[in-house]
Amino acid sequence: MSNLTIGYSSIRERVAQIRLPEFRPDVEIIIAVQGGFVEGPDRDDVRMIYLDSLGAAKSRNVILKEAKGRYLVFGDDDMEWKDEGLTTILELFEHYEDLDLTLCQSENELGILRKRYRKKRRRLSKFNSAKAATYEITIRLSSFREKNITFNEGFGAGEKNFLGDEYIFISEACAAGLNCEFIPTTIAIHPSVSSGMIYGTLEDTEARSNVFQEVFDRFSIVVRIGFALKNLFRFRNPLLILRFIFRVFPKG
């Protein structure tokens, strides 16, 4: 049994650009490909899976099902891993057997942290994990299979609600009683621009509104009001703020 599975979600045209980590005998690599067949890397530690579906969340759910490692990280096809950071997190999982998920740090291509992070280790909840990125997450696979927690396939890249799938994933894990923690260790390098940083369009406003609805249900309007007040200038348009709060969007 592998100690770690690294699961990449990609499309046929982008598989060749994946920068794989160096071979380690205790690590398996899965590349879940959407959009057709493409030859994979000629490495014994790489397993290719071809999907008929589209959407990053669907791809990650296949990885959740197929992974053979004790622990699992989710990679994008435009990022790299920091080996020292991953090693630190795996040692933490081995030491704390009640630890089920960690949310860590990532940096951009210039070596600068991609956002503001807490300085100290902290328990996660749906109130403090909205800025999570998938490649910052490591999970104890057995815990998530036992609780049957997967990614919500109505959210994430490739869907109309193109963001928030990792936030919903963490929120559901917390609600199920799993021990989820932020750890101030950098494990990934990712380009500066990502879907979660997009603001000021009708599309991202609707997607973000739907994410909060999914996480907070009947209390979501209170959370949306608070979020809007905190991010007034990001919305750029008073009408978008009202749409976000009251979930009034064009049909279709």
Side-chain angles (χ1 to χ4, degrees), residues 9 29 73 113 119 138 140 167 174 177 187 189 204-205 221-222 225 233:
S9 297
I29 296 172
V73 293
L113 291 178
K119 300 296 184 182
T138 309
R140 186 184 301 274
Y167 175 35
C174 293
I187 65 170
I189 304 169
D204 81 82
T205 301
I221 189 169
V222 177
I225 291 171
F233 295 106

Side-chain angles (χ1 to χ4, degrees), residues 127 212-213 216-230 244-247:
F127 296 102
F212 283 118
Q213 182 67 30
F216 291 96
D217 196 22
R218 65 182 184 274
F219 300 109
S220 62
I221 189 169
V222 177
V223 178
R224 289 197 299 272
I225 291 171
F227 184 87
L229 291 173
K230 189 177 179 180
F244 172 77
I245 292 172
F246 297 105
R247 302 185 71 219

Side-chain angles (χ1 to χ4, degrees), residues 89-154:
I89 294 305
L90 294 180
E91 290 174 350
L92 202 64
F93 272 103
E94 293 287 347
H95 185 74
Y96 295 99
E97 295 184 358
D98 65 336
L99 185 60
D100 300 304
L101 177 149
T102 61
L103 179 65
C104 297
Q105 300 175 159
S106 59
E107 62 186 35
N108 65 19
E109 58 271 38
L110 301 177
I112 301 170
L113 291 178
R114 299 184 70 255
K115 51 199 168 191
R116 292 182 180 179
Y117 295 94
R118 293 276 179 174
K119 300 296 184 182
K120 297 181 179 180
R121 182 173 174 175
R122 186 182 188 187
R123 187 74 177 256
L124 293 175
S125 73
K126 62 184 178 182
F127 296 102
N128 63 9
S129 53
K131 294 182 179 180
T134 317
Y135 45 82
E136 296 171 342
I137 296 171
T138 309
I139 67 170
R140 186 184 301 274
L141 192 56
S142 60
S143 300
F144 281 76
R145 286 178 173 168
E146 180 181 341
K147 297 290 186 179
N148 195 30
I149 297 170
T150 60
F151 285 89
N152 187 317
E153 295 183 357

Side-chain angles (χ1 to χ4, degrees), residues 26-245:
D26 61 338
V27 175
E28 73 156 349
I29 296 172
I30 295 175
I31 302 178
V33 185
Q34 297 174 320
F37 177 82
V38 63
E39 288 287 347
D42 185 19
R43 286 177 44 163
D44 292 338
D45 58 336
V46 175
R47 182 156 48 109
M48 304 291 290
I49 300 176
Y50 300 94
L51 311 178
D52 294 329
S53 60
L54 294 175
K58 295 183 179 70
S59 176
R60 289 170 186 141
N61 282 339
V62 170
I63 292 169
L64 274 168
K65 181 180 178 180
E66 294 288 335
K68 297 178 180 178
R70 290 187 179 89
Y71 313 109
L72 172 61
V73 293
F74 301 94
D76 288 346
D77 51 27
D78 58 350
M79 51 84 65
E80 296 179 74
W81 298 104
K82 292 183 72 73
D83 190 63
E84 289 183 7
L86 282 179
T87 298
T88 297
I89 294 305
L90 294 180
E91 290 174 350
L92 202 64
F93 272 103
E94 293 287 347
H95 185 74
Y96 295 99
E97 295 184 358
D98 65 336
L99 185 60
D100 300 304
L101 177 149
T102 61
L103 179 65
C104 297
Q105 300 175 159
S106 59
E107 62 186 35
N108 65 19
E109 58 271 38
L110 301 177
I112 301 170
L113 291 178
R114 299 184 70 255
K115 51 199 168 191
R116 292 182 180 179
Y117 295 94
R118 293 276 179 174
K119 300 296 184 182
K120 297 181 179 180
R121 182 173 174 175
R122 186 182 188 187
R123 187 74 177 256
L124 293 175
S125 73
K126 62 184 178 182
F127 296 102
N128 63 9
S129 53
K131 294 182 179 180
T134 317
Y135 45 82
E136 296 171 342
I137 296 171
T138 309
I139 67 170
R140 186 184 301 274
L141 192 56
S142 60
S143 300
F144 281 76
R145 286 178 173 168
E146 180 181 341
K147 297 290 186 179
N148 195 30
I149 297 170
T150 60
F151 285 89
N152 187 317
E153 295 183 357
F155 294 83
E159 301 296 332
K160 182 178 181 181
N161 299 308
F162 59 88
L163 46 77
D165 51 318
E166 50 277 280
Y167 175 35
I168 296 170
F169 184 72
I170 294 174
S171 298
E172 290 184 355
C174 293
L178 296 186
N179 181 16
C180 306
E181 297 189 20
F182 167 73
I183 307 295
T185 297
T186 303
I187 65 170
I189 304 169
H190 192 280
S192 296
V193 178
S194 66
S195 58
M197 296 180 176
I198 299 172
Y199 277 87
T201 69
L202 182 64
E203 291 76 17
D204 81 82
T205 301
E206 182 174 7
R208 210 166 258 112
S209 182
N210 290 339
V211 169
F212 283 118
Q213 182 67 30
E214 185 70 23
V215 172
F216 291 96
D217 196 22
R218 65 182 184 274
F219 300 109
S220 62
I221 189 169
V222 177
V223 178
R224 289 197 299 272
I225 291 171
F227 184 87
L229 291 173
K230 189 177 179 180
N231 296 276
L232 288 174
F233 295 106
R234 286 186 169 185
F235 281 95
R236 303 177 188 174
N237 185 326
L239 179 58
L240 285 181
I241 294 174
L242 293 175
R243 288 186 181 278
F244 172 77
I245 292 172

